[in-house]
Amino acid sequence: MSQNDTPSPLGSGSHDTTETQPTDRLGTPLTPAETELLRIYEDLKRFVARTDLPPCASRNAKKALAAIHVAANDLDLVYEHLYDLGV
Amino acid sequence: MLTADEYWNPKNETMPREKLRALQFGKLRDLCAWAEARSEFHRVRWAKAGFRAEQLRTWDDIRRIPYMTREEWMQSQDEHPPFGTLPAAPPDVAIRFHTTSGTTGRTPLRALDGLRDWEWIADCWAYGFHAMGVRPRDTVFIAFSYAQFIGFWGAHYANEKLGAMVIPSGSLPTETRVKLIVENSATVVCATPTYVLRMAEVARQMGIDVAKSAVDKIVLSGEPSGSVPAVRRQIEAAWGARVGDTAGMTEIGTIFMFECRHQPGGPHIVEDHFIEEVIDPETGRPCDYGERGERVCTSFGRGILPLIRYRTCDVVEKRPASVCPCGRTFDIYHGGIQTRTDDMHKIRGTNVYPRAIEAIVREHAEIEEFQVVLSTDAESGRDEVTVRCEMKPGLEPAWAALFPALNKELSEAHENLRFNLEHARQGELPRFELKAKRLVDKRRK
């Protein structure tokens, strides 16, 4: 196969929300560990958006979110940028 | 799939190529939409070229995206200092500022990174260190000055991330670094190829045989010679350790390729975080496997500076992942960065590439250091190329026999161009800590 062959039209670049089972960006069902990781990521995103956090909580949570985002991105669960959250 | 030992990210590193392409394409579409919405630099250029992110429907549509060049980025910085119009987020979200090394003598590029960008930068390096077999039990010595050049900063954080113990060395002299490596039983050394050889040289002068140290892995970056076989052999012999090459650039902040412990003849491309195209630099035609061309990089990581179809000037040759037995599906750049399109020097009609000279000189282990001098003969006005060589201590007498052999090899590799060879005195040639500058161009302009 040439390095420039066209791939099959897999992957819409977003989560498949039409199925009951959550999937990654390629439509593959999530493993239990991936499901938990994605939940932690979404929880952290919600948490860092709070405006009532003291600096020690806000900055450490943002640092944690940055690391969790990389894990979720590595496993193809999310692809997005978090600058609007200061991350 | 969250645990496996061979790979940092087994899910993606072993993903079938068809799925990998789909993953890249989905990210490309999202990245282009992001850049179009947030980066004036891209929005204006793309509008002029008639490209919109929504036009990306199949893989071939990538060719609709105009190439991005360093010159355009520099011009944008000059017109809108200090960062130009490329940033897709305000500078206040950044936690660090770095610049390019200035090796090419041009205006340095200014780079910004946020919290998440740094986690990602370290993560890409972690793919490489893990592939070389670095684990939490390792002690990693980073021989790097930790300053404006982004260089090995990511390597430092990658090793902290993967749980190894890091010994930073800041601006310490080479002798102190050698001592730190030996006395603390470092198992991994990370530096440029030039500096790894320099540390071995200094260790010899100190009466230390680093081949007997605990170091068993050397991770290289910063210079293309990390994939030159003769350089690698010298490093592996001097240190008694296995070498792995990587390459990155400030424009992406991290490495885009890493060599695995199977040493397949070139580094794997981190293809879940980058699209790496190889094109004919003249026509833009995509190159096939085994064909040399210019590397064009799209990075999915650093969203604050979206790098999309960036022409790097690096000359590379892609080979399929299957040439390596490691099981990764990430393709390979055979021989690493083979040269640069902007690093070719015309001498009396013949193309001379510094990396090609280094590959020949380093075949002779008796040579400690060398320098390439380009000059113009005052009388004839002819351009000349001189290779000055410094022998290893005690091996000076070998120069007489080496001279004709080296002269012949250099000439034959350059269409019979005549090279001048000079024997430099001990310690006469400069030594380097980071990127070596072995080419001195004194030609009349």
Side-chain angles (χ1 to χ4, degrees), chain B residues 198 201-202 204-205 366-371 388-394 396 423-432:
Chain B
R198 171 68 181 152
E201 177 192 2
V202 170
R204 269 197 308 275
Q205 291 163 1
E366 311 94 306
I367 297 172
E368 184 84 272
E369 189 53 82
F370 72 99
Q371 184 181 56
R388 308 180 69 215
C389 299
E390 192 179 309
M391 303 292 279
K392 283 186 177 150
E396 290 88 348
H423 185 186
R425 294 187 312 276
Q426 280 294 317
E428 182 182 348
L429 298 181
R431 303 299 200 265
F432 304 94

PDB file of all heavy atoms in Angstrom, chain B residues 198 201-202 204-205 366-371 388-394 396 423-432:
ATOM      1  N   ARG B 198      31.221  13.853  22.872  1.00  0.00           N
ATOM      2  CA  ARG B 198      32.083  14.762  23.633  1.00  0.00           C
ATOM      3  C   ARG B 198      32.233  14.290  25.088  1.00  0.00           C
ATOM      4  O   ARG B 198      33.339  14.302  25.639  1.00  0.00           O
ATOM      5  CB  ARG B 198      31.477  16.165  23.589  1.00  0.00           C
ATOM      6  CG  ARG B 198      32.128  17.186  24.500  1.00  0.00           C
ATOM      7  CD  ARG B 198      33.533  17.541  24.061  1.00  0.00           C
ATOM      8  NE  ARG B 198      34.154  18.501  24.963  1.00  0.00           N
ATOM      9  CZ  ARG B 198      35.454  18.605  25.173  1.00  0.00           C
ATOM     10  NH1 ARG B 198      36.288  17.796  24.546  1.00  0.00           N
ATOM     11  NH2 ARG B 198      35.951  19.512  25.990  1.00  0.00           N
ATOM     12  N   GLU B 201      34.623  11.524  25.199  1.00  0.00           N
ATOM     13  CA  GLU B 201      35.993  12.025  25.010  1.00  0.00           C
ATOM     14  C   GLU B 201      36.536  12.577  26.335  1.00  0.00           C
ATOM     15  O   GLU B 201      37.655  12.268  26.747  1.00  0.00           O
ATOM     16  CB  GLU B 201      35.979  13.126  23.938  1.00  0.00           C
ATOM     17  CG  GLU B 201      37.319  13.777  23.686  1.00  0.00           C
ATOM     18  CD  GLU B 201      37.190  15.064  22.838  1.00  0.00           C
ATOM     19  OE1 GLU B 201      36.060  15.450  22.491  1.00  0.00           O
ATOM     20  OE2 GLU B 201      38.227  15.667  22.549  1.00  0.00           O
ATOM     21  N   VAL B 202      35.720  13.396  27.005  1.00  0.00           N
ATOM     22  CA  VAL B 202      36.148  13.987  28.278  1.00  0.00           C
ATOM     23  C   VAL B 202      36.340  12.896  29.333  1.00  0.00           C
ATOM     24  O   VAL B 202      37.295  12.933  30.124  1.00  0.00           O
ATOM     25  CB  VAL B 202      35.130  15.055  28.739  1.00  0.00           C
ATOM     26  CG1 VAL B 202      35.401  15.510  30.163  1.00  0.00           C
ATOM     27  CG2 VAL B 202      35.155  16.244  27.787  1.00  0.00           C
ATOM     28  N   ARG B 204      37.323   9.886  28.819  1.00  0.00           N
ATOM     29  CA  ARG B 204      38.629   9.250  28.542  1.00  0.00           C
ATOM     30  C   ARG B 204      39.759  10.082  29.125  1.00  0.00           C
ATOM     31  O   ARG B 204      40.682   9.558  29.745  1.00  0.00           O
ATOM     32  CB  ARG B 204      38.826   9.118  27.025  1.00  0.00           C
ATOM     33  CG  ARG B 204      38.329   7.821  26.421  1.00  0.00           C
ATOM     34  CD  ARG B 204      38.925   7.584  25.030  1.00  0.00           C
ATOM     35  NE  ARG B 204      38.758   8.704  24.123  1.00  0.00           N
ATOM     36  CZ  ARG B 204      37.667   8.920  23.371  1.00  0.00           C
ATOM     37  NH1 ARG B 204      36.657   8.089  23.446  1.00  0.00           N
ATOM     38  NH2 ARG B 204      37.590   9.961  22.567  1.00  0.00           N
ATOM     39  N   GLN B 205      39.650  11.405  28.941  1.00  0.00           N
ATOM     40  CA  GLN B 205      40.691  12.297  29.474  1.00  0.00           C
ATOM     41  C   GLN B 205      40.734  12.235  31.004  1.00  0.00           C
ATOM     42  O   GLN B 205      41.777  12.456  31.616  1.00  0.00           O
ATOM     43  CB  GLN B 205      40.430  13.740  29.027  1.00  0.00           C
ATOM     44  CG  GLN B 205      40.635  13.955  27.529  1.00  0.00           C
ATOM     45  CD  GLN B 205      39.981  15.249  27.013  1.00  0.00           C
ATOM     46  OE1 GLN B 205      39.383  16.002  27.767  1.00  0.00           O
ATOM     47  NE2 GLN B 205      40.092  15.480  25.717  1.00  0.00           N
ATOM     48  N   GLU B 366      39.190   6.837  14.313  1.00  0.00           N
ATOM     49  CA  GLU B 366      40.395   7.503  14.841  1.00  0.00           C
ATOM     50  C   GLU B 366      40.193   9.015  14.912  1.00  0.00           C
ATOM     51  O   GLU B 366      40.946   9.713  15.580  1.00  0.00           O
ATOM     52  CB  GLU B 366      41.611   7.239  13.932  1.00  0.00           C
ATOM     53  CG  GLU B 366      41.820   5.788  13.553  1.00  0.00           C
ATOM     54  CD  GLU B 366      41.154   5.452  12.214  1.00  0.00           C
ATOM     55  OE1 GLU B 366      39.939   5.710  12.072  1.00  0.00           O
ATOM     56  OE2 GLU B 366      41.852   4.945  11.332  1.00  0.00           O
ATOM     57  N   ILE B 367      39.188   9.530  14.196  1.00  0.00           N
ATOM     58  CA  ILE B 367      38.970  10.981  14.171  1.00  0.00           C
ATOM     59  C   ILE B 367      38.091  11.387  15.353  1.00  0.00           C
ATOM     60  O   ILE B 367      36.991  10.865  15.523  1.00  0.00           O
ATOM     61  CB  ILE B 367      38.317  11.409  12.838  1.00  0.00           C
ATOM     62  CG1 ILE B 367      39.268  11.097  11.680  1.00  0.00           C
ATOM     63  CG2 ILE B 367      37.958  12.898  12.866  1.00  0.00           C
ATOM     64  CD1 ILE B 367      38.663  11.305  10.310  1.00  0.00           C
ATOM     65  N   GLU B 368      38.591  12.319  16.129  1.00  0.00           N
ATOM     66  CA  GLU B 368      37.845  12.776  17.308  1.00  0.00           C
ATOM     67  C   GLU B 368      36.828  13.849  16.931  1.00  0.00           C
ATOM     68  O   GLU B 368      35.676  13.808  17.340  1.00  0.00           O
ATOM     69  CB  GLU B 368      38.835  13.370  18.317  1.00  0.00           C
ATOM     70  CG  GLU B 368      38.214  13.811  19.634  1.00  0.00           C
ATOM     71  CD  GLU B 368      38.067  12.655  20.598  1.00  0.00           C
ATOM     72  OE1 GLU B 368      37.024  11.985  20.544  1.00  0.00           O
ATOM     73  OE2 GLU B 368      39.002  12.419  21.383  1.00  0.00           O
ATOM     74  N   GLU B 369      37.263  14.830  16.164  1.00  0.00           N
ATOM     75  CA  GLU B 369      36.403  15.965  15.823  1.00  0.00           C
ATOM     76  C   GLU B 369      36.769  16.446  14.424  1.00  0.00           C
ATOM     77  O   GLU B 369      37.869  16.157  13.928  1.00  0.00           O
ATOM     78  CB  GLU B 369      36.592  17.081  16.863  1.00  0.00           C
ATOM     79  CG  GLU B 369      35.615  18.230  16.779  1.00  0.00           C
ATOM     80  CD  GLU B 369      34.161  17.805  16.778  1.00  0.00           C
ATOM     81  OE1 GLU B 369      33.568  17.547  17.832  1.00  0.00           O
ATOM     82  OE2 GLU B 369      33.606  17.713  15.661  1.00  0.00           O
ATOM     83  N   PHE B 370      35.855  17.131  13.785  1.00  0.00           N
ATOM     84  CA  PHE B 370      36.149  17.620  12.441  1.00  0.00           C
ATOM     85  C   PHE B 370      35.404  18.931  12.182  1.00  0.00           C
ATOM     86  O   PHE B 370      34.494  19.309  12.931  1.00  0.00           O
ATOM     87  CB  PHE B 370      35.787  16.574  11.374  1.00  0.00           C
ATOM     88  CG  PHE B 370      34.314  16.397  11.182  1.00  0.00           C
ATOM     89  CD1 PHE B 370      33.647  17.028  10.132  1.00  0.00           C
ATOM     90  CD2 PHE B 370      33.575  15.616  12.046  1.00  0.00           C
ATOM     91  CE1 PHE B 370      32.282  16.891   9.957  1.00  0.00           C
ATOM     92  CE2 PHE B 370      32.202  15.464  11.883  1.00  0.00           C
ATOM     93  CZ  PHE B 370      31.553  16.096  10.837  1.00  0.00           C
ATOM     94  N   GLN B 371      35.798  19.595  11.117  1.00  0.00           N
ATOM     95  CA  GLN B 371      35.174  20.865  10.738  1.00  0.00           C
ATOM     96  C   GLN B 371      35.208  20.967   9.211  1.00  0.00           C
ATOM     97  O   GLN B 371      36.192  20.540   8.590  1.00  0.00           O
ATOM     98  CB  GLN B 371      35.967  22.017  11.360  1.00  0.00           C
ATOM     99  CG  GLN B 371      35.383  23.386  11.128  1.00  0.00           C
ATOM    100  CD  GLN B 371      36.252  24.469  11.763  1.00  0.00           C
ATOM    101  OE1 GLN B 371      37.442  24.580  11.474  1.00  0.00           O
ATOM    102  NE2 GLN B 371      35.657  25.257  12.648  1.00  0.00           N
ATOM    103  N   ARG B 388      38.791  19.660   8.009  1.00  0.00           N
ATOM    104  CA  ARG B 388      39.855  19.659   9.008  1.00  0.00           C
ATOM    105  C   ARG B 388      39.543  18.581  10.045  1.00  0.00           C
ATOM    106  O   ARG B 388      38.426  18.528  10.583  1.00  0.00           O
ATOM    107  CB  ARG B 388      39.940  21.033   9.676  1.00  0.00           C
ATOM    108  CG  ARG B 388      40.037  22.175   8.662  1.00  0.00           C
ATOM    109  CD  ARG B 388      40.108  23.514   9.366  1.00  0.00           C
ATOM    110  NE  ARG B 388      41.380  23.649  10.069  1.00  0.00           N
ATOM    111  CZ  ARG B 388      41.529  24.279  11.235  1.00  0.00           C
ATOM    112  NH1 ARG B 388      40.481  24.820  11.829  1.00  0.00           N
ATOM    113  NH2 ARG B 388      42.711  24.363  11.808  1.00  0.00           N
ATOM    114  N   CYS B 389      40.503  17.727  10.319  1.00  0.00           N
ATOM    115  CA  CYS B 389      40.263  16.585  11.208  1.00  0.00           C
ATOM    116  C   CYS B 389      41.222  16.599  12.391  1.00  0.00           C
ATOM    117  O   CYS B 389      42.420  16.833  12.218  1.00  0.00           O
ATOM    118  CB  CYS B 389      40.462  15.266  10.454  1.00  0.00           C
ATOM    119  SG  CYS B 389      39.351  15.065   9.073  1.00  0.00           S
ATOM    120  N   GLU B 390      40.661  16.341  13.560  1.00  0.00           N
ATOM    121  CA  GLU B 390      41.481  16.218  14.767  1.00  0.00           C
ATOM    122  C   GLU B 390      41.453  14.751  15.184  1.00  0.00           C
ATOM    123  O   GLU B 390      40.369  14.179  15.351  1.00  0.00           O
ATOM    124  CB  GLU B 390      40.869  17.116  15.853  1.00  0.00           C
ATOM    125  CG  GLU B 390      41.754  17.321  17.048  1.00  0.00           C
ATOM    126  CD  GLU B 390      41.079  18.230  18.062  1.00  0.00           C
ATOM    127  OE1 GLU B 390      40.608  19.334  17.693  1.00  0.00           O
ATOM    128  OE2 GLU B 390      41.005  17.824  19.235  1.00  0.00           O
ATOM    129  N   MET B 391      42.619  14.156  15.343  1.00  0.00           N
ATOM    130  CA  MET B 391      42.683  12.730  15.671  1.00  0.00           C
ATOM    131  C   MET B 391      42.497  12.518  17.175  1.00  0.00           C
ATOM    132  O   MET B 391      42.772  13.413  17.989  1.00  0.00           O
ATOM    133  CB  MET B 391      44.033  12.156  15.230  1.00  0.00           C
ATOM    134  CG  MET B 391      44.335  12.331  13.751  1.00  0.00           C
ATOM    135  SD  MET B 391      43.246  11.344  12.706  1.00  0.00           S
ATOM    136  CE  MET B 391      44.055   9.742  12.815  1.00  0.00           C
ATOM    137  N   LYS B 392      42.100  11.305  17.528  1.00  0.00           N
ATOM    138  CA  LYS B 392      42.011  10.970  18.954  1.00  0.00           C
ATOM    139  C   LYS B 392      43.418  10.946  19.556  1.00  0.00           C
ATOM    140  O   LYS B 392      44.382  10.614  18.844  1.00  0.00           O
ATOM    141  CB  LYS B 392      41.341   9.599  19.125  1.00  0.00           C
ATOM    142  CG  LYS B 392      39.838   9.674  18.939  1.00  0.00           C
ATOM    143  CD  LYS B 392      39.143   8.383  19.243  1.00  0.00           C
ATOM    144  CE  LYS B 392      37.636   8.612  19.097  1.00  0.00           C
ATOM    145  NZ  LYS B 392      36.918   7.403  18.674  1.00  0.00           N
ATOM    146  N   PRO B 393      43.563  11.313  20.840  1.00  0.00           N
ATOM    147  CA  PRO B 393      44.893  11.343  21.453  1.00  0.00           C
ATOM    148  C   PRO B 393      45.621  10.005  21.269  1.00  0.00           C
ATOM    149  O   PRO B 393      45.035   8.932  21.486  1.00  0.00           O
ATOM    150  CB  PRO B 393      44.591  11.595  22.932  1.00  0.00           C
ATOM    151  CG  PRO B 393      43.260  12.244  22.949  1.00  0.00           C
ATOM    152  CD  PRO B 393      42.507  11.682  21.789  1.00  0.00           C
ATOM    153  N   GLY B 394      46.881  10.081  20.856  1.00  0.00           N
ATOM    154  CA  GLY B 394      47.682   8.872  20.665  1.00  0.00           C
ATOM    155  C   GLY B 394      47.544   8.260  19.285  1.00  0.00           C
ATOM    156  O   GLY B 394      48.300   7.351  18.914  1.00  0.00           O
ATOM    157  N   GLU B 396      47.489  10.143  16.406  1.00  0.00           N
ATOM    158  CA  GLU B 396      47.938  11.103  15.388  1.00  0.00           C
ATOM    159  C   GLU B 396      48.751  10.448  14.274  1.00  0.00           C
ATOM    160  O   GLU B 396      48.591  10.817  13.097  1.00  0.00           O
ATOM    161  CB  GLU B 396      48.755  12.237  16.036  1.00  0.00           C
ATOM    162  CG  GLU B 396      47.955  13.194  16.895  1.00  0.00           C
ATOM    163  CD  GLU B 396      47.838  12.716  18.332  1.00  0.00           C
ATOM    164  OE1 GLU B 396      48.186  11.550  18.602  1.00  0.00           O
ATOM    165  OE2 GLU B 396      47.383  13.499  19.181  1.00  0.00           O
ATOM    166  N   HIS B 423      45.104  18.331   8.847  1.00  0.00           N
ATOM    167  CA  HIS B 423      45.240  17.681  10.154  1.00  0.00           C
ATOM    168  C   HIS B 423      45.260  18.767  11.223  1.00  0.00           C
ATOM    169  O   HIS B 423      46.204  19.538  11.299  1.00  0.00           O
ATOM    170  CB  HIS B 423      46.544  16.859  10.173  1.00  0.00           C
ATOM    171  CG  HIS B 423      46.720  16.055  11.410  1.00  0.00           C
ATOM    172  ND1 HIS B 423      47.866  15.353  11.687  1.00  0.00           N
ATOM    173  CD2 HIS B 423      45.893  15.832  12.456  1.00  0.00           C
ATOM    174  CE1 HIS B 423      47.733  14.750  12.850  1.00  0.00           C
ATOM    175  NE2 HIS B 423      46.546  15.025  13.336  1.00  0.00           N
ATOM    176  N   ALA B 424      44.213  18.860  12.017  1.00  0.00           N
ATOM    177  CA  ALA B 424      44.151  19.887  13.073  1.00  0.00           C
ATOM    178  C   ALA B 424      44.869  19.397  14.327  1.00  0.00           C
ATOM    179  O   ALA B 424      44.925  18.191  14.587  1.00  0.00           O
ATOM    180  CB  ALA B 424      42.694  20.211  13.394  1.00  0.00           C
ATOM    181  N   ARG B 425      45.404  20.374  15.092  1.00  0.00           N
ATOM    182  CA  ARG B 425      46.107  20.013  16.329  1.00  0.00           C
ATOM    183  C   ARG B 425      45.108  19.564  17.408  1.00  0.00           C
ATOM    184  O   ARG B 425      43.927  19.902  17.350  1.00  0.00           O
ATOM    185  CB  ARG B 425      46.884  21.223  16.862  1.00  0.00           C
ATOM    186  CG  ARG B 425      48.037  21.675  15.979  1.00  0.00           C
ATOM    187  CD  ARG B 425      48.847  22.762  16.693  1.00  0.00           C
ATOM    188  NE  ARG B 425      48.003  23.813  17.247  1.00  0.00           N
ATOM    189  CZ  ARG B 425      47.552  24.862  16.554  1.00  0.00           C
ATOM    190  NH1 ARG B 425      47.856  25.000  15.272  1.00  0.00           N
ATOM    191  NH2 ARG B 425      46.807  25.774  17.133  1.00  0.00           N
ATOM    192  N   GLN B 426      45.615  18.844  18.406  1.00  0.00           N
ATOM    193  CA  GLN B 426      44.781  18.403  19.530  1.00  0.00           C
ATOM    194  C   GLN B 426      44.085  19.596  20.194  1.00  0.00           C
ATOM    195  O   GLN B 426      44.745  20.570  20.545  1.00  0.00           O
ATOM    196  CB  GLN B 426      45.643  17.703  20.583  1.00  0.00           C
ATOM    197  CG  GLN B 426      45.988  16.264  20.246  1.00  0.00           C
ATOM    198  CD  GLN B 426      44.757  15.387  20.247  1.00  0.00           C
ATOM    199  OE1 GLN B 426      43.910  15.501  21.134  1.00  0.00           O
ATOM    200  NE2 GLN B 426      44.626  14.530  19.266  1.00  0.00           N
ATOM    201  N   GLY B 427      42.783  19.536  20.308  1.00  0.00           N
ATOM    202  CA  GLY B 427      42.015  20.573  21.000  1.00  0.00           C
ATOM    203  C   GLY B 427      41.791  21.833  20.179  1.00  0.00           C
ATOM    204  O   GLY B 427      41.242  22.815  20.677  1.00  0.00           O
ATOM    205  N   GLU B 428      42.229  21.821  18.917  1.00  0.00           N
ATOM    206  CA  GLU B 428      42.127  23.027  18.101  1.00  0.00           C
ATOM    207  C   GLU B 428      40.686  23.288  17.636  1.00  0.00           C
ATOM    208  O   GLU B 428      40.242  24.441  17.561  1.00  0.00           O
ATOM    209  CB  GLU B 428      43.050  22.886  16.880  1.00  0.00           C
ATOM    210  CG  GLU B 428      43.071  24.113  15.984  1.00  0.00           C
ATOM    211  CD  GLU B 428      43.969  23.927  14.758  1.00  0.00           C
ATOM    212  OE1 GLU B 428      44.745  22.951  14.716  1.00  0.00           O
ATOM    213  OE2 GLU B 428      43.861  24.762  13.839  1.00  0.00           O
ATOM    214  N   LEU B 429      39.958  22.240  17.341  1.00  0.00           N
ATOM    215  CA  LEU B 429      38.608  22.425  16.792  1.00  0.00           C
ATOM    216  C   LEU B 429      37.588  22.646  17.911  1.00  0.00           C
ATOM    217  O   LEU B 429      37.735  22.096  19.008  1.00  0.00           O
ATOM    218  CB  LEU B 429      38.215  21.206  15.951  1.00  0.00           C
ATOM    219  CG  LEU B 429      39.102  20.948  14.731  1.00  0.00           C
ATOM    220  CD1 LEU B 429      38.610  19.727  13.962  1.00  0.00           C
ATOM    221  CD2 LEU B 429      39.144  22.169  13.812  1.00  0.00           C
ATOM    222  N   PRO B 430      36.563  23.438  17.643  1.00  0.00           N
ATOM    223  CA  PRO B 430      35.569  23.701  18.697  1.00  0.00           C
ATOM    224  C   PRO B 430      34.775  22.458  19.068  1.00  0.00           C
ATOM    225  O   PRO B 430      34.568  21.574  18.232  1.00  0.00           O
ATOM    226  CB  PRO B 430      34.662  24.762  18.061  1.00  0.00           C
ATOM    227  CG  PRO B 430      34.885  24.671  16.600  1.00  0.00           C
ATOM    228  CD  PRO B 430      36.266  24.148  16.398  1.00  0.00           C
ATOM    229  N   ARG B 431      34.354  22.412  20.335  1.00  0.00           N
ATOM    230  CA  ARG B 431      33.482  21.342  20.830  1.00  0.00           C
ATOM    231  C   ARG B 431      32.111  21.954  21.107  1.00  0.00           C
ATOM    232  O   ARG B 431      32.007  23.151  21.374  1.00  0.00           O
ATOM    233  CB  ARG B 431      34.040  20.704  22.102  1.00  0.00           C
ATOM    234  CG  ARG B 431      35.456  20.133  21.951  1.00  0.00           C
ATOM    235  CD  ARG B 431      35.502  19.030  20.903  1.00  0.00           C
ATOM    236  NE  ARG B 431      36.660  18.160  21.049  1.00  0.00           N
ATOM    237  CZ  ARG B 431      37.809  18.298  20.400  1.00  0.00           C
ATOM    238  NH1 ARG B 431      37.951  19.308  19.559  1.00  0.00           N
ATOM    239  NH2 ARG B 431      38.799  17.447  20.580  1.00  0.00           N
ATOM    240  N   PHE B 432      31.091  21.118  21.093  1.00  0.00           N
ATOM    241  CA  PHE B 432      29.719  21.635  21.205  1.00  0.00           C
ATOM    242  C   PHE B 432      28.935  20.876  22.262  1.00  0.00           C
ATOM    243  O   PHE B 432      29.104  19.679  22.431  1.00  0.00           O
ATOM    244  CB  PHE B 432      29.000  21.517  19.855  1.00  0.00           C
ATOM    245  CG  PHE B 432      29.742  22.202  18.741  1.00  0.00           C
ATOM    246  CD1 PHE B 432      30.617  21.492  17.929  1.00  0.00           C
ATOM    247  CD2 PHE B 432      29.584  23.553  18.521  1.00  0.00           C
ATOM    248  CE1 PHE B 432      31.310  22.114  16.909  1.00  0.00           C
ATOM    249  CE2 PHE B 432      30.275  24.188  17.505  1.00  0.00           C
ATOM    250  CZ  PHE B 432      31.140  23.472  16.696  1.00  0.00           C
TER     251      PHE B 432
END
